[in-house]
Amino acid sequence: MSTKRTLPFAGVIGLLGMLAAAPAHAYCRTSTTSAPTVDGHVCTPAQKDDSGLPVFWGMPRITYSVQVDASKDIPFDTARLAIRTAFDAWTSADCEGQPPRLELIEGAPAICALDEYNKDRGNANIIFFVDEGWSDDSFKLAITTVTFDVNSGEIYDADMALNTTHWPFTTNGAPDGIDLLSVLTHEAGHFLGLNHSPDPEASMTAHYQPPEQMDMRSLAEDDRAGICAIYPPGPLADGCDATPRHGFSALCAEDQSGPVLDAPPTGERCCCLEGDTCVDGICVEAPGGCACTTHPAPLGPGAVTIPLAALVASLRRRRAAGGRRAQAPS
Ligand SMILES: [Zn+2]
């Protein structure tokens, strides 16, 4: 059967009309079709190249770890404060009078400084600086790597790397530096499941344009709509477990001793809203997707790790394509 479809001419006109009438904001979520050469996304309003399922944290109480060495330019405590502020911008978004159902907890510092997800070792959601030896394209300011279940879109792990090898990050708004808080706010959006927005006013725009870039510290309407859609307001259960998948470890996989874990921890780590039902790891009544997970969760073919290109080529105000690659399933 052919996969081609022919739209009636009137249908095309109708679509164009809809696009012309679309609101200025159009947030996009990262989707499960993200692949080495595919920018998988699902946008609102819908775009013609939307595909796959949006990714999301199934347990919206999330622990992150700041890498203990921070940067030669950014002391550890300065980094901690900026990262906290960046996440707070998202968790305090106004969803019609309530915050999104989302909580970010700073956990123990990470010793590991790699963006890795370990399918049989402990994990941490690490924010780290690469002062030397940034291995990706030098024009990228940062990269957030999100690992998710390809079948459900549930995020397993997210790590954020800041390119201090090539860029002078600052925290005081100096015009010749890269505003750390702006970049962190943008990356936090990726961390939480958002993709780049076509709205140039959004914190999730792919364009970093000094000196206006400090506007990115504050969410635009587009960003607010996105985070409220992913994590609609609601209570978090007291028992909601924020432990990273397979347990927390400050160490990289190769430095972890002890028995190798052959399965995620068993038992329910549920953040369902009261009255919801957890079916095969999916909280069926929760708006916006899964809100509870029972381990071992259905893994299907496995997890995919996707590095999301960050703000790019800032000083020349050009956007460049981000490198993406899929790694081994978990
Ligand atoms: Zn980005």
Side-chain angles (χ1 to χ4, degrees):
M1 190 179 83
S2 170
T3 58
K4 290 185 178 178
R5 288 188 295 174
T6 302
L7 285 173
F9 190 65
V12 175
I13 295 295
L15 178 59
L16 291 174
M18 287 171 56
L19 291 175
H25 62 86
Y27 66 85
C28 296
R29 296 173 63 176
T30 300
S31 81
T32 52
T33 54
S34 294
T37 58
V38 178
D39 174 24
H41 56 249
V42 176
C43 300
T44 302
Q47 296 187 1
K48 63 180 186 301
D49 56 348
D50 284 354
S51 61
L53 298 171
V55 304
F56 59 94
W57 285 93
M59 288 163 289
R61 180 174 284 151
I62 306 156
T63 299
Y64 66 89
S65 294
V66 183
Q67 207 279 334
V68 69
D69 298 324
S71 164
K72 65 184 186 306
D73 300 325
I74 311 290
F76 179 70
D77 284 340
T78 303
R80 286 183 60 215
L81 178 60
I83 292 163
R84 179 77 259 169
T85 304
F87 278 127
D88 284 351
W90 295 96
T91 59
S92 63
D94 183 357
C95 304
E96 298 183 0
Q98 298 183 68
R101 184 163 168 266
L102 183 64
E103 185 178 356
L104 275 297
I105 299 170
E106 183 182 354
I111 296 169
C112 182
L114 293 175
D115 49 356
E116 65 176 23
Y117 168 67
N118 308 311
K119 63 181 181 181
D120 54 10
R121 296 283 181 176
N123 283 288
N125 301 306
I126 304 170
I127 295 100
F128 64 102
F129 296 82
V130 182
D131 278 356
E132 297 179 2
W134 177 266
S135 58
D136 213 303
D137 295 329
S138 61
F139 58 77
K140 294 180 183 174
L141 299 176
I143 290 179
T144 294
T145 301
V146 178
T147 303
F148 54 85
D149 186 305
V150 293
N151 289 328
S152 68
E154 182 185 357
I155 297 173
Y156 290 168
D157 184 271
D159 301 303
M160 196 185 296
L162 283 295
N163 180 4
T164 42
T165 301
H166 298 104
W167 295 99
F169 284 83
T170 68
T171 56
N172 60 7
D176 56 346
I178 303 297
D179 186 51
L180 176 65
L181 185 50
S182 292
V183 175
L184 287 171
T185 304
H186 176 95
E187 295 305 312
H190 283 317
F191 186 104
L192 296 170
L194 285 167
N195 206 329
H196 290 146
S197 169
D199 182 348
E201 302 298 319
S203 295
M204 292 313 296
T205 182
H207 300 259
Y208 178 93
Q209 301 184 353
E212 300 89 346
Q213 81 279 9
M214 286 178 64
D215 292 346
M216 300 175 75
R217 294 178 171 195
S218 303
L219 301 193
E221 166 61 20
D222 185 74
D223 306 303
R224 186 205 63 76
I227 200 67
C228 293
I230 305 176
Y231 307 101
L236 280 162
D238 289 341
C240 179
D241 188 346
T243 306
R245 193 173 173 84
H246 300 293
F248 170 80
S249 177
L251 303 174
C252 298
E254 67 176 13
D255 297 322
Q256 294 182 37
S257 59
V260 173
L261 304 172
D262 57 6
T266 57
E268 193 170 59
R269 299 165 54 194
C270 191
C271 295
C272 279
L273 294 168
E274 190 172 358
D276 287 347
T277 303
C278 191
V279 178
D280 293 336
I282 303 295
C283 194
V284 294
E285 296 296 330
C290 177
C292 81
T293 298
T294 303
H295 290 292
L299 293 179
V304 171
T305 299
I306 301 294
L308 294 163
L311 301 163
V312 294
S314 60
L315 299 180
R316 283 178 290 174
R317 304 192 178 196
R318 293 179 55 192
R319 178 181 182 183
R324 294 169 186 272
R325 63 183 184 274
Q327 296 181 347
S330 88

